[in-house]
Amino acid sequence: TLVRELREKCHCFPALLATKMSAPRSFVLTGAVLLSCGALFSAFVPTPVTRTSAPTASSNLPTAAMSAAALVAPTAAHAAGEGSVWIPALSAVGAGFAIGLAAIGSGVGQGIASGRCIDGISRQPEVADDLRGVLLLSLAFMESLTIYGLVIALVLLFANPLIK
């Protein structure tokens, strides 16, 4: 009855109802997303496994001791001298990260820039030449950053300043 009276008096009743229902709808959707995230988290994160064999010594180390060992590892690598395997190994990992992150960043940036340029050309075809020139210049700058990552990777692999 109240709904019927409001419909007769106000022609904008659906809009009024939609604004009054936005907060509860938001709460319901937020709760649904949180529940689904919790369900996914519990489905994909494994439960702790009980061991039947004797635990190793490294599993009994406290977290502080393991953190201290991780902080001291670079110092130990420098102290080991010429026979150390840490510096070349970590340099190879650093080189992989350098070229990988440079390639990913440049690829994403070039894709976004090219897509925006195509959108601009499709909206205003008369400025296609200007946009194309600016796009090629920006792509060259983005590619130069990838080449810098490659140079860093090559230096770490073949002319490492940390190895004497």
Side-chain angles (χ1 to χ4, degrees):
T1 59
L2 178 64
V3 173
R4 186 177 303 147
E5 289 176 13
L6 283 174
R7 281 188 186 165
E8 291 172 2
K9 290 181 183 178
C10 181
H11 296 288
C12 61
F13 177 71
L16 180 68
L17 185 63
T19 58
K20 287 190 179 270
M21 292 299 293
S22 63
R25 180 179 36 209
S26 176
F27 287 132
V28 168
L29 290 176
T30 303
V33 167
L34 289 175
L35 284 174
S36 63
C37 287
L40 285 174
F41 185 74
S42 65
F44 290 112
V45 176
T47 58
V49 178
T50 58
R51 296 185 185 191
T52 56
S53 64
T56 60
S58 65
S59 66
N60 292 333
L61 288 176
T63 306
M66 293 177 75
S67 299
L71 288 174
V72 174
T75 307
H78 285 293
E82 293 295 322
S84 174
V85 73
W86 284 99
I87 301 276
L90 293 176
S91 295
V93 170
F97 276 121
I99 193 63
L101 292 176
I104 289 171
S106 178
V108 169
Q110 287 178 359
I112 291 172
S114 299
R116 298 287 169 93
C117 181
I118 290 171
D119 288 344
I121 290 173
S122 66
R123 282 194 304 268
Q124 294 178 337
E126 63 271 7
V127 295
D129 292 333
D130 295 335
L131 285 177
R132 193 175 303 117
V134 171
L135 173 69
L136 290 176
L137 183 65
S138 64
L139 290 178
F141 283 131
M142 286 183 230
E143 195 63 34
S144 71
L145 294 174
T146 305
I147 293 170
Y148 289 149
L150 175 65
V151 168
I152 291 171
L154 291 175
V155 164
L156 284 174
L157 288 176
F158 299 113
N160 197 338
L162 299 174
I163 300 174
K164 296 179 183 178

